[in-house]
Structure formats: C-alpha cells, structure tokens
C-alpha cells in the first residue's frame, strides 16, 4: 500500500513532491497543504489515524499545567516553596511552564520572526539546506525537512546547536539573513536556562548538581511546522504520541496556536500556549536518572483547521559517548532501569521512530 501511495505520484501530483538527495520522492506536508484545494482523498489518506477523534480530551484541565517561576527559584526567600512546586510538576505532570525564565524578549522575538520567514521560503531553497545534511552520527548536525516515512502532518528541520565545538554552522541556513545569529543566540540562552533548571531539579531529588553536569551538554534544536488541514483536521496528528529522547526539552510555541496535548490519567490535556513562558518537559534520560521518580510523559500534537502552527523544540541531550543510569537516593532503593550507553539509547530511539514509549520501555528492568 505504501508503495502504491508513492508510485501514485504521477504528473498530476508532482507539484506536491520534492526530490531529496536520493531519487526517492519526499513528501513535504506544507507543500501538500498549500495545494489543499486539490488534495486528493488518496493523498490525504496516509495521514488519517483511525481513532484519533475518539480519544478523550479534557480541555477543562488545561489551566492546571504547573507554572514554575525561575525568579522565585533564584530568590532565597521563595526557593523552598517554588522547588516543591517544581518537584510536584516533574513527578506528577512531567511538564511545566517556566516564567521569568530570563531569556531576553528580543532573542525570542528574533527566533520567532526568522523561523516563520524560513518556512515561507520556496520549497527548493529549504530542501537545499535539508539536503546538505542528514547525518545523525554522533547526534549529527541536522536533519530533513520532509520525511517520506512519516505519517504525521508536519515538516521538521533540525540541527545540533550546542555545544559550539561540536557543530558546524556552515550547514545552518543563512536565509532569512539573520537566521544563524538568531539560532546561535537563542540556543546559547537556552543552554544557560537548561543548566539552571538542572541545578534545581538535582536539588529536588537530593542529587549533587555536578552529577547532572554531563547529562545535558548538547542541544538539538528542532523547528516544527504544522500546516492547517481543511479536510480532516480531527483525524490527523501533527506529531504522534511519543516521549522525548532528551534530559529535558524546552519548547517555544512560536505563534500561539494551540496543538500540543499531554497524556494524563489516560486522557489528553491540551496545553494553552503562553506568550510569557517556555514549556519544559521531562525527557527519557531524566526519567532513567531519577529511577522513574520524574516521568517522561507522552505527548502529541493536533492540527488546526484554519491556522498553521509553529514550534521549536530544544532537546537537552547527554554526552553521546557517556552512560546513563539511575542515580539512587538510598541504598534500599530498587533499581528500575538499566545502565545504558547514551549512544545505544540514541540509536534505538532514532531507529524506532518515537511512537509510544518503546525506547523507554526497553530501558526498564521490569520489562525483561
Ligand atoms: O510542537 C510541539 O508542541 C511539540 C513538539 C514535540 O513534541 C517534539 O518536538 O518532540
Ligand atoms: Fe516531543
């Protein structure tokens, strides 16, 4: 069936395909959506996920997503109360909004502006940047805009943005003109935020922050573009349910269009974008390190009928040649996760396609 769908790309649908470096046609969802008026039912079909529209969504709980104030964590008078909130957020939700995060407004505004301009570039221009890269070895430098394997209604462009010595900026897009600079500023600001959060997270579990130091030394930045979908928005997903292969992930919701949903008690809770906050979530590596005390929660992205949505995920990742293992609070604590090489985990995660929590299940000792 898959072959059928691909070879169906006759002259009528050629405009919806773009050629990758290989001869395989790669679907670009933004281009497909732009031709919406004539999107044939069969072109849409592969994106339809049966049952999505039947899942329980509890919008009335959206306001309960925890909010953590970094300024209060940094203030001796309020740190205790705020750290307790942080602990609850990581244990119970696996997600929190961080306000007073200290990232200059102009840095965020620059990044938002440039990412919108980037996705407005002609497909051939974007593909040229995407084609130049694609090597994920040792986390690699960047990866594709379109993915012909993917069933999700989105296009993504990713690059390894930190640390400076491990990246090659010559691969980064230089359109719009200030893009490289915006990425550089944004990612180095986020790195500082990540270190600050990691310090407080370590304290909430009684771990020496230095033990966490090499667990978020790198940063992978992924820019996500979710076109609107006029035909069957309730039946497609921009991003299928997954947990993140990171220590923590810091998400910027670029244009305030709702879409992200968090798995909670068997239902989905939509997250309301906040202009003054960044959304942080616990990733798989932090779940393993805390021996399951902090949860790497599944999440997914839904699609809007009228509006496109853009977001930027910044995955804080450990040293590729390091190891990841539970850090125990006491000698009596039962070890629930394997000790794994980061490289092994990363390879598994990337090969699995992060649908569901398969990689994390593999790391759980109780599963074997
Ligand atoms: O776009 C979003 O809101 C979330 C994206 C996401 O979950 C991811 O990049 O891992
Ligand atoms: Fe995610």
């Amino acid at each position: 069936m898959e072959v059928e769908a691909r070879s169906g790309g006759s002259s009528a649908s050629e405009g919806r395909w773009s050629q990758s470096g290989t001869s395989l046609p790669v679907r670009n969802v933004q281009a497909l959506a732009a031709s919406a008026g004539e999107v044939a039912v069969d072109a849409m079909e592969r994106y339809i996920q049966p049952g999505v529209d039947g899942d329980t969504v509890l919008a009335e709980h959206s306001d309960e997503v925890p909010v953590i104030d970094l300024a209060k964590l940094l203030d001796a008078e309020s740190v205790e109360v705020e750290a307790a909130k942080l602990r609850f957020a990581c244990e119970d939700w696996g997600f929190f909004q961080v306000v007073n995060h200290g990232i200059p407004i102009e840095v965020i505004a620059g990044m938002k502006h440039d990412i919108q301009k980037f996705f407005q570039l002609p497909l051939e221009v974007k593909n040229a940047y995407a084609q130049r890269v694609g090597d994920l070895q040792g986390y690699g430098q960047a990866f594709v805009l379109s993915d012909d394997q993917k069933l999700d209604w989105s296009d993504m462009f990713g690059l390894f943005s930190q640390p400076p010595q491990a990246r090659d900026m010559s691969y980064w897009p230089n359109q719009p003109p200030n893009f490289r600079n915006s990425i550089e500023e944004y990612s180095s600001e986020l790195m500082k935020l990540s270190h600050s959060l990691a310090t407080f997270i370590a304290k909430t579990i009684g771990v020496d922050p230095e033990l966490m130091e090499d667990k978020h030394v790198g940063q992978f930045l992924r820019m996500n573009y979710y076109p609107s979908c006029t035909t069957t928005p309730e039946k497609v997903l921009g991003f299928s349910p997954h947990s993140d292969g990171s220590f923590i992930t810091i998400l910027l919701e670029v244009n305030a269009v709702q879409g992200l949903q968090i798995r909670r008690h068997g239902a989905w809770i939509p997250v309301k974008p906040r202009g003054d906050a960044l959304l942080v979530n616990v990733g798989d590596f932090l779940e393993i390190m805390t021996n399951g005390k902090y949860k790497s929660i599944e999440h997914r992205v839904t699609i809007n009928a009228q509006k496109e949505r853009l977001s930027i995920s910044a995955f804080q990742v450990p040293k590729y040649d390091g190891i990841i293992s539970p850090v125990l609070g006491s000698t009596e604590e039962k070890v629930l996760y394997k000790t794994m090489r980061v490289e092994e985990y990363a390879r598994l995660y990337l090969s699995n396609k992060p649908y569901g929590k398969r990689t994390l299940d593999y790391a759980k000792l109780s599963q074997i």
Side-chain angles (χ1 to χ4, degrees):
M1 256 163 66
E2 196 54 24
V3 174
E4 198 64 35
R6 284 184 200 160
S7 60
S10 60
S11 58
S13 59
E14 256 172 85
R16 302 178 204 130
W17 299 103
S18 60
Q19 293 300 122
S20 75
T22 69
S23 59
L24 254 188
V26 172
R27 266 170 209 261
N28 180 275
V29 181
Q30 185 180 4
L32 183 62
S35 64
E38 33 130 348
V39 175
V41 176
D42 62 339
M44 255 332 282
E45 212 168 305
R46 66 175 268 157
Y47 299 98
I48 294 188
Q49 303 211 24
V52 168
D53 50 347
D55 287 348
T56 310
V57 176
L58 299 176
E60 61 272 29
H61 292 294
S62 293
D63 292 330
E64 295 163 24
V65 176
V67 179
I68 301 298
D69 187 335
L70 185 64
K72 288 190 181 164
L73 283 174
L74 293 166
D75 182 339
E77 295 228 327
S78 46
V79 62
E80 211 171 310
V81 173
E82 206 60 17
K85 281 193 199 168
L86 175 64
R87 185 191 176 119
F88 172 78
C90 293
E91 271 173 1
D92 201 73
W93 281 82
F95 270 85
F96 58 90
Q97 300 272 16
V98 59
V99 295
N100 290 319
H101 45 63
I103 306 204
I105 316 170
E106 58 277 14
V107 171
I108 291 187
M111 190 67 206
K112 285 184 173 180
H113 173 268
D114 288 356
I115 188 66
Q116 280 168 302
K117 287 272 176 255
F118 175 73
F119 278 105
Q120 284 163 12
L121 292 170
L123 184 55
E124 318 80 73
V125 176
K126 287 179 290 187
N127 270 340
Y129 293 120
Q131 277 170 33
R132 252 189 257 168
V133 289
D135 171 23
L136 279 166
Q137 211 182 29
Y139 290 132
Q141 291 290 345
F143 68 101
V144 293
L145 188 69
S146 315
D147 183 345
D148 71 324
Q149 304 291 316
K150 213 168 63 143
L151 303 180
D152 292 342
W153 191 252
S154 54
D155 297 317
M156 290 168 183
F157 188 84
L159 50 83
F160 204 61
S161 58
Q162 295 284 341
Q165 62 274 22
R167 64 188 193 198
D168 184 349
M169 280 171 87
S170 64
Y171 284 117
W172 296 8
N174 53 3
Q175 287 183 71
N178 202 39
F179 201 21
R180 282 187 190 169
N181 189 40
S182 297
I183 295 172
E184 163 71 14
E185 281 185 357
Y186 180 72
S187 76
S188 65
E189 286 289 340
L190 278 198
M191 206 68 187
K192 285 189 252 169
L193 175 62
S194 158
H195 278 269
S196 183
L197 288 171
T199 303
F200 289 111
I201 287 173
K203 287 184 183 158
T204 61
I205 48 167
V207 164
D208 179 355
E210 284 194 12
L211 280 177
M212 299 255 192
E213 275 307 296
D214 63 345
K215 299 301 183 272
H216 56 126
V217 293
Q219 183 170 223
F220 194 82
L221 217 59
R222 187 163 64 203
M223 303 157 217
N224 311 309
Y225 181 89
Y226 307 94
S228 59
C229 177
T230 42
T231 43
T232 49
E234 69 293 343
K235 287 192 163 63
V236 300
L237 286 175
F239 210 138
S240 294
H242 67 282
S243 65
D244 291 348
S246 62
F247 175 71
I248 55 173
T249 306
I250 305 174
L251 183 84
L252 175 64
E253 299 195 72
V254 172
N255 63 348
V257 175
Q258 199 166 304
L260 181 65
Q261 298 185 337
I262 301 173
R263 188 103 174 135
R264 186 165 169 78
H265 307 320
W268 294 102
I269 316 287
V271 175
K272 281 192 198 148
R274 281 181 66 134
D276 62 341
L278 289 160
L279 188 73
V280 179
N281 67 281
V282 172
D284 293 358
F285 292 123
L286 186 54
E287 176 169 328
I288 295 170
M289 285 186 70
T290 59
N291 202 27
K293 290 183 206 76
Y294 288 178
K295 309 286 185 317
S296 177
I297 295 292
E298 265 184 283
H299 49 285
R300 67 179 194 178
V301 177
T302 58
I303 292 299
N304 191 289
Q306 274 91 38
K307 296 183 204 142
E308 61 183 13
R309 177 171 182 273
L310 289 97
S311 69
I312 303 172
S313 321
F315 303 97
Q316 312 303 313
V317 293
K319 266 201 314 223
Y320 197 69
D321 58 0
I323 58 155
I324 198 85
S325 61
V327 183
L328 302 183
S330 78
T331 45
E332 274 111 76
E333 199 179 323
K334 191 164 177 270
V335 180
L336 300 176
Y337 296 80
K338 293 176 199 168
T339 292
M340 289 175 79
R341 286 184 302 122
V342 171
E343 181 181 349
E344 183 190 357
Y345 198 90
R347 279 184 197 282
L348 267 172
Y349 186 92
L350 294 167
S351 64
N352 267 348
K353 296 253 164 199
Y355 295 165
K357 292 187 50 158
R358 282 187 260 166
T359 317
L360 202 44
D361 287 343
Y362 176 83
K364 279 182 190 154
L365 283 168
S366 51
Q367 300 294 316
I368 52 173

